[in-house]
Amino acid sequence: MTQVVLSIPNEEVNFIKMLAKKMGWKFEKKEDILNKFISSVPNDLDISEDEIQDAVNEIRYSK
């Protein structure tokens, strides 16, 4: 399946949703995808800010 990004006027969203449903396509707004990703990320990680900064620095300066 290929993912396509469309920018359409707000008043046309319901039409596109209906068309997608009739065609058997999956319809998701960018906000829906972002919210799904955010809700899937664990929020109780046991990691310090120093450990995060060390990992960032390792990637950033390892070139």
Side-chain angles (χ1 to χ4, degrees):
M1 185 173 279
T2 300
Q3 293 183 345
V4 177
V5 177
L6 296 173
S7 296
I8 59 172
N10 289 334
E11 57 272 4
E12 299 295 330
V13 171
N14 286 334
F15 169 73
I16 297 298
K17 279 184 182 180
M18 182 181 66
L19 177 62
K21 185 176 182 177
K22 286 183 178 184
M23 296 298 294
W25 302 338
K26 183 176 182 180
F27 178 90
E28 290 182 296
K29 294 190 291 185
K30 184 170 47 174
E31 296 83 6
D32 299 334
I33 296 168
L34 182 59
N35 288 333
K36 189 187 311 181
F37 171 76
I38 290 171
S39 67
S40 72
V41 175
N43 58 5
D44 58 347
L45 295 176
D46 188 25
I47 187 168
S48 70
E49 289 185 29
D50 290 335
E51 291 172 311
I52 294 169
Q53 189 60 56
D54 289 343
V56 169
N57 289 340
E58 182 179 333
I59 292 168
R60 182 180 289 164
Y61 301 115
S62 67
K63 295 178 181 176

